[in-house]
Amino acid sequence: MNILIKEKHLYDIQAEVTVVFALNTDELLHEGPLKELGFKASQDETCYLSEFKTLYVGVEANEHDLFRAAAATAIKTLSKFTYSSLKIAQYDVNNKEGIFTALIEGIILGAYTFDMYKSEKKENTIKEIVFSSKTLEDEGSQAEILEKALIYAYTVARATNYARTLVNMTPEDIFPLKLAHVAADLAKENNLECKVLGEQDLADENMHAMLSVGRASRHDSQLIHLTYKPKKPRAVISLVGKGLTYDSGGLSLKPAASMVSMKLDKSGACTVLGIMKAASELKLDVEIHGVIGAVENMVGGDAYKPDDVLTAKNGKTIEVRNTDAEGRLVLADCLGYAQEKIKADYIFDYATLTGACLVALGQYTTGIMGHSHKLKHSVGRSGTNTGELISALPFNRYLKKQLKSEIADISNISNKPYGGAITAAMFLDEFINEENKNKWMHFDIAGPAYVESSWGYNSYGGSGAGVRVTLDWLMGLK
Ligand code: BES
Ligand code: ZN
Ligand code: ZN
């Protein structure tokens, strides 16, 4: 799909179909026929006037995320037709409101389909989308600004789709070593460094918490370390991803219904890969390290058990009381690895860590947790900029007590049924060194990472949650 900007008025651009985003029904060119068909311009409402080859899509208010959703609706509607080119007017001179960026992202996210496992594949007939850079009033738009925004939005949305596909692939197709190959391919393509640690290396690094989780799997666990190093980086950031290529729960086996879709448990890893893909393509001047714990949590005679006591990389002992709380064990060691090997200014981790985060915030919102209010605020702002829903969940010293163990330094689950998203993050906090407390932030993406029924521009399956918000945050990093 080719997206271009032309320095012409909409009516001077050649294309088969015109897409019009309508905030209301007044003063529209085809007001009469639209009224006749009952078009109300409500959000995502569509009306196609074949006589005029124009698709109208409603937008409830002048907000970028509503345009993002409407653009996705437009492209989904048109993909059922056979047209190959379409044109769109200018709604935001010089991208001041981020609406131009949103339209590009909405189109690319909305056009996404996942048909790897379908025998019949449908090809999108739309080959060219042309944006006009001129408004009727002609407020002096600058092509350069729009071109830049186009490249940014295009790159970020494609990287999001890349993460979505990885999440959507089955555990038979993406197991830990396969994920390492995916990372190696990305490294080759985008000029990154890639180091992969197998089980012997993990043992040499004393990463026994991570190793225990993967012990019953026929697939060896892998730690993947990708590095993007620009010439003069303004900052160094470590991105740590939970890469459970399958989470059966282990001996604390998940009930049948909760196990379905647990291929999603590698989403944090896929988010890290997506961020690194876009950051390297956009040549951001931030040094980025991606550290991924790729593990499969299975059952078997060799499985780790409730009652085991594990020693993590940093020397702390962990009493296992539930083998389904495995992500935090993998992350404890990966965070230890990242802190030992990389002198970073920021450490972000991404994980589908807790069902409790869904209970707390709903399925659309990422929970962010950490000690630095400043960091939480700035990531929250990036959430607003990108339309990704983000909310902070606060730590407190009372909840921390729920992780006490009678026989080890800490238990891997809380002894109370409340506040599970926060206690999971407080468990991770045990593995953050004192000097890094304010550099660290945890993203629990258990809700938005996987879409069970589509919402906005997110269709069924992996969503790439965390990719767009983090890239926006990296762009604003001073
Ligand atoms: N991967 C799951 C969390 C999850 C649940 C992600 C639903 C996405 C959707 C995680 O490993 C897990 O099983 N957590 C347990 C923790 C509990 C045993 C303390 C949970 O949330 O039930
Ligand atoms: Zn689990
Ligand atoms: Zn899990």
Side-chain angles (χ1 to χ4, degrees):
M1 197 184 283
N2 202 6
I3 304 180
L4 338 156
I5 303 163
K6 288 205 173 146
E7 276 188 84
K8 287 181 181 172
H9 285 293
L10 191 68
Y11 44 79
D12 291 329
I13 294 173
Q14 294 295 318
E16 288 171 87
V17 189
T18 307
V19 176
V20 176
F21 296 101
L23 281 141
N24 49 57
T25 51
D26 311 330
E27 290 175 43
L28 292 172
L29 183 59
H30 306 115
E31 200 181 330
L34 286 167
K35 279 233 163 90
E36 232 174 83
L37 292 167
F39 181 70
K40 302 252 173 5
S42 58
Q43 180 65 35
D44 295 329
E45 180 188 0
T46 58
C47 188
Y48 182 63
L49 303 177
S50 64
E51 205 185 330
F52 307 103
K53 298 257 184 299
T54 301
L55 175 71
Y56 281 86
V57 185
V59 183
E60 213 163 70
N62 205 32
E63 290 165 21
H64 65 79
D65 208 46
L66 297 176
F67 275 89
R68 202 174 272 105
T73 302
I75 204 80
K76 278 202 180 85
T77 306
L78 289 171
S79 67
K80 294 186 192 107
F81 303 171
T82 53
Y83 300 115
S84 67
S85 63
L86 59 100
K87 58 178 178 177
I88 302 174
Q90 188 49 241
Y91 291 85
D92 185 10
V93 182
N94 294 331
N95 198 28
K96 267 190 263 163
E97 313 279 333
I99 288 172
F100 181 70
T101 306
L103 288 177
I104 307 289
E105 288 179 358
I107 286 169
I108 294 164
L109 297 172
Y112 176 80
T113 52
F114 181 72
D115 57 9
M116 191 178 279
Y117 303 113
K118 295 264 192 201
S119 354
E120 228 174 278
K121 326 240 184 236
K122 268 199 301 244
E123 223 202 307
N124 202 324
T125 57
I126 300 160
K127 297 283 173 269
E128 190 171 89
I129 300 172
V130 187
F131 279 88
S132 162
S133 65
K134 300 206 167 185
T135 57
L136 288 174
E137 296 85 23
D138 237 342
E139 300 168 58
S141 76
Q142 284 173 25
E144 210 180 302
I145 294 175
L146 294 182
E147 283 297 343
K148 248 188 163 161
L150 170 60
I151 291 170
Y152 177 82
Y154 184 83
T155 309
V156 169
R158 299 247 309 190
T160 307
N161 287 347
Y162 164 83
R164 293 166 86 179
T165 293
L166 290 173
V167 172
N168 289 334
M169 287 172 75
T170 67
E172 278 302 287
D173 285 344
I174 303 270
F175 43 85
L177 189 60
K178 211 47 180 299
L179 197 58
H181 291 160
V182 167
D185 288 346
L186 176 66
K188 211 168 151 201
E189 193 104 332
N190 286 23
N191 252 313
L192 313 172
E193 288 166 35
C194 180
K195 191 174 167 189
V196 178
L197 279 68
E199 293 200 341
Q200 187 54 56
D201 307 312
L202 295 174
D204 294 344
E205 292 285 347
N206 295 315
M207 298 174 69
H208 297 287
M210 171 164 164
L211 273 170
S212 301
V213 173
R215 213 166 60 206
S217 169
R218 70 194 165 101
H219 300 294
D220 273 8
S221 301
Q222 312 284 329
L223 182 143
I224 304 160
H225 180 181
L226 282 173
T227 310
Y228 164 65
K229 257 196 185 128
K231 286 245 157 55
K232 278 194 190 137
R234 278 180 299 138
V236 179
I237 182 165
S238 291
L239 308 176
V240 178
K242 172 177 174 183
L244 262 288
T245 59
Y246 201 70
D247 181 13
S248 71
L251 290 180
S252 314
L253 196 65
K254 283 186 186 293
S258 328
M259 205 186 294
V260 180
S261 76
M262 273 305 144
K263 64 174 185 182
L264 68 78
D265 220 18
K266 60 183 176 314
S267 296
C270 301
T271 296
V272 170
L273 291 172
I275 296 165
M276 295 201 71
K277 178 175 159 68
S280 52
E281 287 166 4
L282 292 167
K283 301 195 163 51
L284 299 192
D285 49 0
V286 183
E287 180 174 319
I288 308 175
H289 293 261
V291 174
I292 289 168
V295 184
E296 190 184 51
N297 186 19
M298 297 298 283
V299 292
D302 197 24
Y304 85 124
K305 312 172 225 2
D307 284 346
D308 279 346
V309 173
L310 315 175
T311 306
K313 180 168 172 58
N314 74 349
K316 287 202 179 168
T317 58
I318 307 164
E319 179 191 358
V320 177
R321 293 182 70 89
N322 190 317
T323 61
D324 197 12
E326 82 302 330
R328 60 194 78 182
L329 301 172
V330 172
L331 286 178
D333 275 350
C334 288
L335 286 164
Y337 176 93
Q339 292 173 97
E340 187 183 294
K341 310 289 178 198
I342 307 148
K343 177 112 199 50
D345 302 303
Y346 302 96
I347 303 163
F348 289 1
D349 77 73
Y350 302 84
T352 46
L353 203 62
T354 63
C357 198
L358 276 128
V359 176
L361 296 174
Q363 66 271 47
Y364 310 111
T365 303
T366 294
I368 55 171
M369 285 153 266
H371 298 285
S372 165
H373 294 293
K374 205 174 143 201
L375 204 48
K376 282 187 275 190
H377 279 298
S378 68
V379 171
R381 268 196 301 278
S382 288
T384 310
N385 291 345
T386 56
E388 274 201 54
L389 299 168
I390 308 269
S391 187
L393 295 171
F395 287 163
N396 67 60
R397 63 198 165 89
Y398 309 107
L399 280 170
K400 187 127 188 168
K401 291 188 190 134
Q402 295 179 188
L403 289 165
K404 277 212 171 111
S405 163
E406 295 290 334
I407 67 157
D409 298 339
I410 191 167
S411 164
N412 84 323
I413 54 163
S414 162
N415 58 21
K416 301 261 172 10
Y418 309 120
I422 298 173
T423 52
M426 293 190 106
F427 176 93
L428 298 179
D429 181 38
E430 285 292 311
F431 302 88
I432 301 293
N433 303 340
E434 218 41 65
E435 70 274 18
N436 293 328
K437 292 289 186 201
N438 280 317
K439 300 178 180 169
W440 168 64
M441 198 158 64
H442 163 62
F443 291 69
D444 194 332
I445 56 171
Y450 200 78
V451 176
E452 299 281 0
S453 56
S454 65
W455 52 280
Y457 35 88
N458 300 291
S459 53
Y460 181 84
S463 72
V467 174
R468 291 185 304 112
V469 72
T470 307
L471 285 158
D472 181 85
W473 186 84
L474 288 168
M475 289 287 289
L477 195 55
K478 298 259 164 32

